[in-house]
Amino acid sequence: MKITLKVMRQTGPSAEPRLVQYELMGISGDMSFLEMLDVLNEELTERGEDPVAFDSDCREGICGMCGIVIDGEAHGPERTTVCQLHMRSFKDGDVITLEPWRASAFPVIKDLVVDRSSFDRIIQAGGYISVNTGAAPDAHATPVPKEDSDRAFEAAACIGCGACVAACPNASSMLFTAAKVAHLGLLPQGQPEREARVVNMLQQQDAEGFGGCTNIGECAAVCPKEIPLDVISTLNRDLGKALAGRG
Amino acid sequence: MTTTDTPAPAVSEGLVNGLYREGEPIADSKAPSGPLQNRWEERKFSARLVNPANRRKMSVIIVGTGLAGASAAATLGEAGYNVKAFYYQDSARRAHSIAAQGGINAAKNYKNDNDSTFRLFYDTVKGGDYRARESNVYRLAEVSAAIIDQAVAQGVPFAREYGGLLDNRSFGGVQVSRTFYARGQTGQQLLIGAYQAFQRQVAAGTVTSYARHEMLELIVADGRARGIIVRDMVTGEIETHLADAVVLGTGGYGNVFFLSTNAMGSNVSAAWRAHRKGAYFGNPCYTQIHPTCIPVSGSHQSKLTLMSESLRNDGRIWVPKDPADCDKDPREIPEDARDYYLERIYPAFGNLVPRDIASRSAKYQCDDGRGVGPAVDEVQPDGSTKQVRRGVYLDFADAIKRMGKSTVAAKYGNLFDMYQRITGEDPYEVPMRIYPAVHYTMGGLWVDYDLQSTIPGLFVTGEANFSDHGANRLGASALMQGLSDGYFVLPNTINDYLADAPFEALPEDHPAVAEAHASVSERVHKLLSVNGSRSVDSFHRELGTIMWEYCGMDRSEEGLKYAIGRIRELREEFWRDVRVLGENEELNQALERAGRVADFLELGELMCVDALHRRESCGGHFRSESQTEDGEALRDDENFAYVAAWEWGGEGEAPVLHKEDLQYEYVEMKQRSYK
């Protein structure tokens, strides 16, 4: 099929973005969206034009490296990662617009590549359990109710792709932060640091320039791993307790 | 030879096969002697310690932040060393360990099914087709239980039973239930655990994290590994980083085949640059080919996706008897026109034959013109292109009839959904198509028992080293090795080396630093200035085709020799005709790939030389000249029970083979049979 792409291109962090149009012929429905971009880049290379920079790595929907806003939607028209989106989701003759994740906490590096290191810094602020290597008790020493463990798992499935931020009108990273808070807070191992964790991670989230959460829910609607929106209520409850505890 | 010896080994005169020279055998892998069960305790006791106050004066560079790298960085950071960690992704959480689905083994015996450290050890040595080291594998089995404890303490949400205890399953044909899992995301969850421990150390200031940095050269000064040269992938800056020791946890090199289940960025460069600086490369030809992947759909395919092998428990594998039926709707092919070839050839095991047999059998059907699915272009030995169908049916029609669709969906639903997403076909209605793909590389840099390479101060962990798997890797053992190396082994062996540190500071203009820096700059400049006519990917695809055809599932003397010639021609053409646009001083993904493909073009040749010299079949290495009358892999324990450790011979020179004999004191070597 024939596809027209409008790609937001930007040579560097401080350069002006501009929308550039490309025509592609012979695209097969079996290609993944990123393979279609590979084809575009081969053609650009042949013509001596700079290929479009985009992030990808595992190409099986789990590493979280890829992320493009396609026709205004994070990861495109289906609820999956861009690497698992296939061209059969589009029609012959379609015009498709590609933009990078837009958020001041995710500065653009080049074309469709953004810097998501702010997510790492939110984790550094407390998204872990403080345990040193080598002296952990036997894994069976602390039973965990299956329901808690399953719910912790659901939250832990976050791949850190940033689609939640890209979809949020406020560019809030609340779903990402809440997923980690819920994952660790639901397990007995995570209790000692539970209150400090939520306060410190939220502080860091603000410091990074992410917007506030106004419960719009776009984040959960686009999340390729279907992280449930109610992890945010779990976070709010923990925050309430932490603040009350501090008087 | 011990690793601290610096003189080059004596090299015999004359080329073997016109391709390599033979050097002195490796006499000492530093494993302690005595009873197997005591060796690791013994080694930990004899390793020298470093006083906590001195640790902060010492620095360690870690390259790669997958399971092996991130766990090592976190643990060494906790210990108080200054750690610098480098990775090419934008976050340490994205390393390809994240994609491992199945699970992690541990000898916990939580199921009271007679599992033990010794049984895990025994199964692993046997599964590796007797080409792994007994001492290493025993240690791996011994440490495995502590890995689970550590991960649970970190909050890794393993599957649990209703009583709150951990659940286990049996995996990969093993007769005990020793595999711990977190749905189909065990790798992701374990990696997130290690990543969080890593970030905790970043916050504590013991680990400095370098995202989007790629190691392009190793600095070896006065016989020791003392640092690395990296390229900042965003600014193009070529930076020098020095330390008292360097650890590579950079994963495997399956992407030499272009199409593989590896992440797109997984590469061999760090290991290969270290090899060129003197680190031996162990068993490069050992590649695990996984039988149940989604087949190639067209010539623009960039990677292959693995589906869990559990599908073979209920799916039946077949191809049409008549090649004329290959493009027909499979539902219209009557029962008597189908060839259930695994059930026919291996009645005792049927569709559950081991991975290497299932893989090879699928290839033979397709070579025979009876493959199914879309016809894709394939380059033939004479350079011409032919349309070939590379797929066999994995049919659940009988299972659906027997168990009902809902039972099948409950058991395999997520895999069916994944298949449908990628292929656009409904596997409940039309049989799935599968084909083998490259999955894991058992070869890697040679290391001794301490995980130290032949360059003092250069340590190698996880899939990047060669050590624990032998010629075949069992399911659920890769995650185990990555974490065993990173959390427990390396942190207890590197002390012994660092007890002599801190070493004298190297000035930036030290000849070894200047040379490494210059060589990287020159190479980058060269890649950007060729300005030829072919894209980097076109070379990579062609290399991959050669490797897959001649160094893939079935290898022959004739094919390997041909491949070596073709790879040399291709490498020459690459440096003459590659086209890399843009400049160094920016994010330049074509430049990144060009450097990696250049290294794959050298590694590919060594893989073929290794496969050629090993005139036996073992595990994933199948030499067509070495098979039993029934077509099974035939090992030659008399002549090949050794590790092949290759030394770089110099640019355009033959590599040198050093053999490390494998001793089996606790396990008896037996022939495999599946009839």
Side-chain angles (χ1 to χ4, degrees), chain B residues 387-455:
Chain B
Q387 291 251 301
V388 185
R389 294 178 203 279
R390 290 282 173 197
V392 299
Y393 289 123
L394 175 61
D395 197 340
F396 275 78
D398 282 358
I400 291 171
K401 223 177 283 169
R402 176 164 46 90
M403 304 190 267
K405 187 176 164 180
S406 59
T407 310
V408 170
K411 238 173 144 176
Y412 304 109
N414 59 338
L415 295 165
F416 278 42
D417 293 346
M418 181 178 80
Y419 181 86
Q420 181 156 17
R421 171 163 291 288
I422 293 174
T423 63
E425 288 173 10
D426 179 0
Y428 294 103
E429 295 297 326
V430 189
M432 284 190 210
R433 291 172 288 109
I434 54 165
Y435 200 65
V438 170
H439 186 51
Y440 189 93
T441 46
M442 284 79 71
L445 292 180
W446 184 91
V447 288
D448 61 21
Y449 189 72
D450 285 355
L451 303 183
Q452 185 168 233
S453 73
T454 47
I455 300 174

Side-chain angles (χ1 to χ4, degrees), chain B residues 203-219:
Chain B
T206 63
V207 174
T208 312
S209 173
Y210 294 84
R212 296 193 194 265
H213 276 67
E214 182 156 47
M215 169 179 158
L216 296 179
E217 199 53 87
L218 179 73
I219 297 168

Side-chain angles (χ1 to χ4, degrees), chain B residues 564-582:
Chain B
I564 291 167
R566 285 288 301 117
I567 293 169
R568 287 177 179 174
E569 286 167 16
L570 191 64
R571 197 163 61 226
E572 189 274 324
E573 192 187 338
F574 176 86
W575 286 105
R576 182 164 44 76
D577 200 24
V578 73
R579 169 173 245 187
V580 184
L581 299 170

Side-chain angles (χ1 to χ4, degrees), chain B residues 61 63 86 213-219 227-231 246 248 250 267 269-271 273-274 458:
Chain B
I61 281 172
V63 186
F86 298 83
H213 276 67
E214 182 156 47
M215 169 179 158
L216 296 179
E217 199 53 87
L218 179 73
I219 297 168
I228 59 174
I229 306 286
V230 295
R231 180 173 177 273
V246 176
L248 302 184
T250 49
N267 66 85
S269 286
R273 304 324 288 176
L458 177 71

Side-chain angles (χ1 to χ4, degrees), chain A residues 55 57 60 120 133 138 180, chain B residues 110 195-196 212 264 303:
Chain A
D55 265 333
D57 203 17
E60 48 187 274
D120 283 341
T133 306
D138 185 273
K180 190 46 58 190
Chain B
Y110 280 165
Y195 157 82
Q196 288 172 187
R212 296 193 194 265
M264 296 296 282
K303 80 154 284 161

Side-chain angles (χ1 to χ4, degrees), chain B residues 14-160:
Chain B
L15 286 176
V16 185
N17 257 336
L19 289 169
Y20 66 92
R21 296 172 199 281
E22 210 166 307
E24 285 189 349
I26 295 175
D28 183 8
S29 69
K30 279 211 281 196
S33 50
L36 195 58
Q37 309 85 280
N38 300 347
R39 289 180 189 171
W40 179 225
E41 279 305 317
E42 184 82 10
R43 179 61 193 137
K44 281 195 284 187
F45 184 73
S46 65
R48 291 173 296 163
L49 302 178
V50 179
N51 165 345
N54 287 339
R55 291 181 206 153
R56 52 178 175 265
K57 298 177 198 148
M58 298 174 187
S59 54
V60 179
I61 281 172
I62 295 182
V63 186
T65 51
L67 286 177
S71 57
T75 308
L76 294 177
E78 280 163 22
Y81 294 106
N82 289 299
V83 178
K84 284 181 171 184
F86 298 83
Y87 45 96
Y88 72 78
Q89 296 93 345
D90 71 328
S91 167
R93 64 178 299 144
R94 311 214 195 276
H96 195 55
S97 309
I98 208 157
Q101 299 168 348
I104 177 168
N105 285 336
K108 280 283 199 186
N109 196 31
Y110 280 165
K111 292 287 172 187
N112 194 25
D113 54 7
N114 259 345
D115 199 11
S116 63
T117 301
F118 194 87
R119 192 179 299 276
L120 175 53
F121 152 77
Y122 180 89
D123 288 350
T124 308
V125 169
K126 187 170 157 230
D129 229 354
Y130 311 98
R131 295 292 177 263
R133 288 179 185 152
E134 279 193 335
S135 301
N136 281 58
V137 175
Y138 192 87
R139 174 175 66 189
L140 178 67
E142 190 177 343
V143 162
S144 65
I147 297 173
I148 304 303
D149 300 339
Q150 179 70 20
V152 166
Q154 289 171 343
V156 171
F158 285 121
R160 286 184 183 263

Side-chain angles (χ1 to χ4, degrees), chain A residues 16-224:
Chain A
E16 263 313 291
R18 62 200 175 95
L19 211 52
V20 185
Q21 185 164 322
Y22 303 101
E23 310 284 330
L24 276 179
M25 310 289 283
I27 297 300
S28 123
D30 286 332
M31 286 179 189
S32 73
F33 199 84
L34 298 183
E35 284 166 355
M36 180 275 293
L37 287 181
D38 291 340
V39 171
L40 169 70
N41 280 345
E42 284 280 295
E43 288 192 16
L44 290 177
T45 303
E46 266 174 37
R47 300 209 299 251
E49 291 177 37
D50 195 26
V52 176
F54 63 92
D55 265 333
S56 82
D57 203 17
C58 78
R59 295 207 177 185
E60 48 187 274
I62 193 73
C63 78
M65 186 102 170
C66 63
I68 300 173
V69 175
I70 300 169
D71 289 335
E73 292 195 73
H75 291 302
E78 296 192 24
R79 195 171 178 182
T80 184
T81 54
V82 184
C83 63
Q84 294 293 290
L85 178 67
H86 284 72
M87 292 312 292
R88 68 180 76 90
S89 301
F90 298 88
K91 294 191 307 291
D92 189 25
D94 272 0
V95 180
I96 309 171
T97 306
L98 278 62
E99 299 165 274
W101 284 172
R102 291 271 179 220
S104 58
F106 287 167
V108 174
I109 295 175
K110 184 181 177 183
D111 296 339
L112 304 171
V113 176
V114 302
D115 177 356
R116 284 167 290 195
S117 52
S118 46
F119 270 12
D120 283 341
R121 289 187 293 272
I122 292 176
I123 299 296
Q124 284 157 25
Y128 48 76
I129 288 168
S130 295
V131 49
N132 281 359
T133 306
D138 185 273
H140 269 180
T142 314
V144 182
K146 185 167 163 33
E147 295 76 9
D148 293 356
S149 165
D150 285 351
R151 195 162 137 68
F153 177 90
E154 255 184 16
C158 168
I159 56 174
C161 63
C164 46
V165 176
C168 177
N170 306 333
S172 170
S173 64
M174 195 57 107
L175 192 72
F176 169 81
T177 305
K180 190 46 58 190
V181 164
H183 162 210
L184 300 176
L186 284 162
L187 297 170
Q189 295 84 347
Q191 297 314 308
E193 294 165 294
R194 186 168 179 175
E195 293 180 7
R197 177 180 304 121
V198 67
V199 171
N200 294 338
M201 288 180 79
L202 284 178
Q203 255 168 16
Q204 187 62 35
Q205 180 179 295
D206 292 344
E208 294 291 345
F210 289 104
C213 173
T214 50
N215 295 313
I216 294 167
E218 277 300 309
C219 51
V222 299
C223 174

